[in-house]
Amino acid sequence: VSFAVKQHKAVGGVMITDRSHGNHMSALLGEVQRLDEGRVGRAIQFDGASTHVNVPAQPPLDITNQVTITMWMRAGQVAGQYAYLIDRSDDRGAQKQFALHLFGADNDRVRFIVTRNGILTAVDADNAIHPGQWHHIGATYDGRALKLYVDGTLAKSYDAPGVLAQSDMGVIIGALKVGGQTVDHFRGALDEVRIYNRALAADEIEALAQGIE
């Protein structure tokens, strides 16, 4: 599933269309600052306070034991807080089927999280994320290891064999949803957010980072 900006509506914010030809729609909620020229086409600008995308649960999101998340990200200058790029959690925001977020004193590192065998498992990239610059982020779990890529290069891998947690929840892009409220909002721009129900190989991640389909 790959989402991109389709059109702006006065009520309900911006509608997001599925670029993988599944015709699945999602809604961009909160204060929309602007729709920027993105890395590929147009990108969504998140304000760090309320903007987020709500992707309802739907058949293409039936993830079993493998998953890949990829996106282009241009972070804003925000320090000292978590900033969620994407999250699929239970109502408490605790058990995460998968998530990607920024963290660190300068909010310049990225973390990939899955729940496998009921255990929350994470891997952190050592690569620094530079505010104002576009970075390609890729994360995979194949039932054996978590792998996190930055700009097409493997940044960190962590062996973690197990069974990925199942979820019937939707996906939140640009924030974490806890008890019906969104927190830990991302400030910056996101483009070409993709979710796959398989683990992409390293050369496939590299090709996406190079703009090769």
Side-chain angles (χ1 to χ4, degrees):
V1 182
S2 174
F3 294 94
V5 174
K6 182 180 182 183
Q7 60 184 351
H8 187 279
K9 292 186 177 180
V11 178
V14 177
M15 301 306 295
I16 310 299
T17 184
D18 175 7
R19 289 173 62 94
S20 59
H21 308 296
N23 296 319
H24 301 99
M25 299 298 292
S26 303
L28 174 57
L29 306 174
E31 184 65 28
V32 180
Q33 292 184 318
R34 62 183 181 274
L35 302 180
D36 286 338
E37 289 301 316
R39 195 62 177 75
V40 181
R42 302 169 73 190
I44 302 170
Q45 181 75 20
F46 295 80
D47 65 3
S50 63
T51 312
H52 63 282
V53 176
N54 179 41
V55 184
Q58 49 198 278
L61 292 176
D62 291 343
I63 306 297
T64 54
N65 203 40
Q66 294 193 5
V67 66
T68 297
I69 304 103
T70 67
M71 65 182 69
W72 284 99
M73 176 202 67
R74 186 181 65 201
Q77 188 70 53
V78 180
Q81 68 177 40
Y82 291 127
Y84 271 78
L85 306 174
I86 190 168
D87 182 78
R88 191 182 199 187
S89 300
D90 59 19
D91 289 332
R92 297 177 295 112
Q95 178 168 294
K96 302 177 183 300
Q97 187 182 50
F98 57 78
L100 279 168
H101 71 76
L102 300 179
F103 73 103
D106 295 317
N107 216 24
D108 62 351
R109 297 180 64 198
V110 62
R111 173 175 291 157
F112 174 42
I113 306 170
V114 301
T115 299
R116 48 101 198 177
N117 295 348
I119 303 169
L120 204 65
T121 307
V123 62
D124 301 341
D126 295 329
N127 312 51
I129 299 299
H130 303 289
Q133 296 184 18
W134 283 106
H135 291 279
H136 188 267
I137 307 298
T140 71
Y141 182 67
D142 62 1
R144 298 183 300 274
L146 289 83
K147 296 181 180 180
L148 184 54
Y149 299 80
V150 177
D151 296 327
T153 300
L154 180 63
K156 189 65 71 71
S157 178
Y158 179 70
D159 290 337
V163 177
L164 188 65
Q166 300 303 293
S167 177
D168 59 1
M169 304 295 290
V171 171
I172 302 296
I173 300 172
L176 169 66
K177 194 170 186 178
V178 180
Q181 303 295 319
T182 53
V183 298
D184 294 337
H185 293 85
F186 169 70
R187 180 182 177 188
L190 296 177
D191 196 3
E192 285 293 300
V193 179
R194 301 184 177 197
I195 305 168
Y196 300 80
N197 62 2
R198 65 181 181 91
L200 268 61
D203 60 344
E204 293 178 293
I205 298 287
E206 182 181 11
L208 289 174
Q210 293 176 352
I212 302 171
E213 292 294 334

